[in-house]
Amino acid sequence: MNDPTRRDALGLGAALAAGAFAASASAQAASGGELRIGMTLADIPTTRGAPDQGGEGIRWMGFTIYDSLVYWNLNQEQSIPEIVPALAERYYPSPEDSKEWIFELRRGVKFHDGSPFNADAVIWNIEKLLKRDAPQYDPQQNMTLSFRIPSVKTWRKIDDFKIAIGSTAPDASMPDQVVFLHISSPAQWQKLGGWDGFSRQPSGTGPFRVQEIVPRQRAVLVRNDDYWDQSRRPKLDRLLLLPIPDANIRVAALLTNQVNFIEAPPPDGVPRLRSAGMVIKTNPYPHVWPYILRQSGENTPLSDVRVRQALNLAINREEMVELLGGMAEPARGMVLPDSPWFGKPKFEVRYDPAAARRLLAEAGYGPGNPLRVKFMISASGSGQMQPLPMNEFVQQNLREVGVDLSFEVVEWNAMRGQRSKGPLDPSARSVHALNNSMGTSTPFDAFARHFSCEAAPPHGMNWAGVCDEKLQALLDQASSTFDTAERDRIVARIHEHVVDNAYWLWVVHDVNPRALRPEVRGFFQAKSWYQDLTQVYIRR
């Protein structure tokens, strides 16, 4: 059946013209406590519990409606957020079986529909993703979420408020994965006859409830007055999510008070926003804007490490940061140089066009035989920053060293669909790289899900097709190391190996820019892809 939150990008302009903003403005006047977010997305993310459209979908339609067993301490701006208890009050490696983690569940929690949260609900939600013969199994949620929880292989109920989740080997990253497992209400699914009905009336245990979903136009969420965590009960009356993929339209909507919070303001619009009294929030966080370079299959010149290194040497990252109005930092690899995982790579990611030309010549490319490649990019999307001008800048840089780069421009979710198919899918034969930004807040997010042999699509995000014996041994060692300091040392060696082999083309790290009207208060810009809106309020 058709999911009612599926996008229809062609309808977006008509939806805005029809007055979605006007409806929200009248509601705000009545309540005085409505936050209206202009998203970069072209449609409302899916609402079943595993939102589509990447990190922005999870940020605004995942952790708002739903809770997971664990969460992050997002209501601070000083340090990279850490995993903290949520629907699980306690969690720890099993003393009887090192391959399992035990989660002791919180009592007294209810779903928005009034049904109780317990171990059966958690098991039901795992099986909606991973047990294909379960009545509630949902291929859409499996496609959206399974690559984020690859270690989840076994699960069992110990009692009504205790479960065990296991893998095939001891895995220190299990909490970093199950944080994305949002718990939907089995009773609501049963009552509404499946996921199609549930999509229109979703039910989680989260701080906000869904009041209205209008595909391609808006989602209206309201405060959950009965939320179990009193410290995170929302201060807002309502939260309105509006898809506005065009950055300039987002700016105009903010300036005219049609929205009061926008994602990713364009750099050239920031001075105007500041002069109009808007608040610009930035905070560097674990995130990289790269190209995932295809190295497997036929017809890929990027299987040659000299070519991959040459591409990395051709990009003037400092000028890219200037293009972005300072809203970025140059990337020297997957993580920032001050990260404990950076290590000491032998290959230095830098701007050196002469060295790039020499490496291309060694690989057999030059004026008489130019390197021709095609990269798949999107016009907007979660974490994609300002993709069109940024890609044009990269195209010009590569042209200057003799590389003929062309683009296949697709909608954001289409690129994510290609990523899940993998580089050997027939649809990828002419594509040499994907421009897909990534969060890198944990060793699992930064490395295991992108470079493990076991993470090949559709089971993971290793679209590049990397399968390196030495690298795999280090990845396995890191996942089985529970001492944080020792694991950091292993992960630094992983990063050194990844950079030395130039497995990706790294460009910049984002600083997470957002623009807010001055009446929006209480928003902490976490050093994370994910943000918490529960403490936000509108000054009256």
Side-chain angles (χ1 to χ4, degrees):
M1 301 181 72
N2 291 331
D3 188 320
T5 62
R6 283 285 157 212
R7 69 177 45 75
D8 177 0
L10 294 176
L12 177 63
L16 297 183
F21 286 149
S24 72
S26 62
Q28 190 246 6
S31 72
E34 180 178 81
L35 182 67
R36 304 184 304 279
I37 296 178
M39 303 185 294
T40 71
L41 307 177
D43 196 4
I44 303 301
T46 50
T47 56
R48 301 172 175 186
D52 64 357
Q53 305 193 61
E56 194 170 345
I58 295 170
R59 182 162 62 234
W60 303 141
M61 196 57 84
F63 290 111
T64 48
I65 307 170
Y66 298 99
D67 292 310
S68 301
L69 298 180
V70 294
Y71 190 51
W72 296 282
N73 59 334
L74 293 172
N75 281 325
Q76 51 85 29
E77 301 179 325
Q78 289 71 43
S79 60
I80 294 174
E82 299 176 346
I83 291 287
V84 294
L87 290 178
E89 291 183 305
R90 297 181 64 223
Y91 47 95
Y92 46 87
S94 170
E96 286 81 30
D97 183 352
S98 61
K99 295 190 296 295
E100 286 188 328
W101 280 74
I102 305 299
F103 294 86
E104 298 182 8
L105 306 182
R106 194 173 300 276
R107 298 170 185 265
V109 177
K110 291 188 180 296
F111 289 99
H112 299 155
D113 58 274
S115 60
F117 164 77
N118 52 31
D120 290 330
V122 178
I123 299 296
W124 187 92
N125 273 271
I126 295 174
E127 293 184 347
K128 79 177 180 182
L129 297 163
L130 302 178
K131 188 178 180 184
R132 293 179 182 272
D133 60 350
Q136 73 273 24
Y137 175 75
D138 184 4
Q140 182 268 317
Q141 293 190 73
N142 171 276
M143 180 180 69
T144 303
L145 184 59
S146 61
F147 69 87
R148 295 187 185 274
I149 56 170
S151 295
V152 177
K153 302 297 184 185
T154 64
W155 49 91
R156 60 187 178 90
K157 174 181 174 181
I158 299 173
D159 62 36
D160 283 347
F161 290 94
K162 184 183 289 187
I163 65 167
I165 299 178
S167 193
T168 55
D171 193 341
S173 74
M174 186 66 77
D176 297 327
Q177 298 182 41
V178 300
V179 70
F180 294 103
L181 177 61
H182 295 124
I183 307 300
S184 308
S185 167
Q188 185 80 336
W189 180 87
Q190 185 71 36
K191 173 186 174 182
L192 298 176
W195 291 115
D196 188 54
F198 188 98
S199 295
R200 291 186 289 270
Q201 300 179 55
S203 175
T205 63
F208 292 91
R209 302 169 182 258
V210 171
Q211 183 180 80
E212 180 185 29
I213 300 287
V214 182
R216 300 174 298 279
Q217 293 187 32
R218 64 185 177 273
V220 182
L221 280 58
V222 296
R223 178 176 57 234
N224 178 9
D225 289 319
D226 299 320
Y227 188 53
W228 56 268
D229 185 350
Q230 293 189 23
S231 69
R232 292 187 61 238
R233 284 184 182 169
K235 296 181 176 8
L236 292 166
D237 297 320
R238 287 163 47 107
L239 170 63
L240 185 71
L241 302 173
L242 296 166
I244 313 178
D246 186 282
N248 292 318
I249 295 177
R250 288 197 298 275
V251 168
L254 187 70
L255 290 170
T256 56
N257 200 23
Q258 297 176 84
V259 297
N260 48 21
F261 183 120
I262 65 171
E263 300 274 270
D268 59 359
V270 168
R272 182 183 177 198
L273 290 170
R274 282 197 170 117
S275 67
M278 304 301 147
V279 177
I280 307 299
K281 299 281 283 188
T282 64
N283 201 359
Y285 72 117
H287 170 279
V288 65
W289 193 91
Y291 296 91
I292 306 172
L293 306 178
R294 177 164 69 89
Q295 292 150 60
S296 61
E298 300 177 357
N299 189 34
T300 175
L302 305 183
S303 60
D304 190 326
V305 65
R306 296 170 297 184
V307 174
R308 300 195 301 270
Q309 289 180 340
L311 296 183
N312 273 284
L313 294 171
I315 307 304
N316 190 331
R317 294 163 181 82
E318 283 70 21
E319 282 195 5
M320 173 72 86
V321 171
E322 291 181 17
L323 171 72
L324 295 170
M327 299 285 180
E329 295 189 19
R332 311 299 178 193
M334 292 293 290
V335 296
L336 288 160
D338 62 355
S339 167
W341 309 330
F342 192 84
K344 298 179 180 179
K346 295 182 179 65
F347 174 65
E348 180 186 356
V349 177
R350 65 193 189 279
Y351 180 51
D352 191 339
R357 293 187 192 95
R358 285 195 299 271
L359 285 169
L360 288 171
E362 289 178 16
Y365 299 101
N369 181 35
L371 173 64
R372 292 185 172 89
V373 289
K374 179 186 286 185
F375 292 176
M376 181 177 285
I377 68 172
S378 66
S380 65
S382 171
Q384 294 293 85
M385 302 178 69
Q386 308 298 325
L388 294 181
M390 292 170 74
N391 274 288
E392 290 169 359
F393 181 90
V394 168
Q395 185 182 48
Q396 178 60 35
N397 274 184
L398 293 183
R399 183 180 297 124
E400 291 168 0
V401 299
V403 176
D404 181 2
L405 168 61
S406 61
F407 296 126
E408 182 174 338
V409 184
V410 299
E411 196 273 331
W412 171 229
N413 239 24
M415 179 186 297
R416 299 184 75 246
Q418 174 55 254
R419 189 188 66 197
S420 69
K421 295 175 184 177
L424 301 183
D425 188 84
S427 61
R429 284 179 181 165
S430 64
V431 176
H432 299 99
L434 302 183
N435 173 221
N436 192 153
S437 63
M438 298 289 176
T440 58
S441 59
T442 69
F444 170 75
D445 285 328
F447 301 104
R449 67 175 180 156
H450 301 301
F451 302 109
S452 172
C453 298
E454 300 172 358
H459 306 294
M461 297 177 66
N462 186 357
W463 191 88
V466 173
C467 190
D468 179 319
E469 184 176 338
K470 179 180 178 181
L471 180 57
Q472 188 64 47
L474 289 169
L475 290 168
D476 293 342
Q477 186 180 359
S479 68
S480 61
T481 300
F482 289 77
D483 179 82
T484 301
E486 178 59 24
R487 183 169 53 169
D488 285 349
R489 286 190 285 270
I490 298 166
V491 176
R493 292 172 60 196
I494 290 171
H495 187 247
E496 290 168 355
H497 191 83
V498 167
V499 173
D500 288 343
N501 285 276
Y503 281 136
W504 286 10
L505 168 53
W506 300 281
V507 183
V508 293
H509 299 288
D510 194 8
V511 296
N512 227 0
R514 294 182 171 90
L516 291 64
R517 293 190 64 84
E519 63 268 21
V520 177
R521 300 298 180 91
F523 175 65
F524 292 88
Q525 177 89 329
K527 296 175 75 69
S528 170
W529 192 300
Y530 305 99
Q531 304 292 321
D532 191 300
L533 299 178
T534 61
Q535 304 308 298
V536 176
Y537 63 95
I538 308 301
R539 185 186 62 186
R540 305 189 183 198

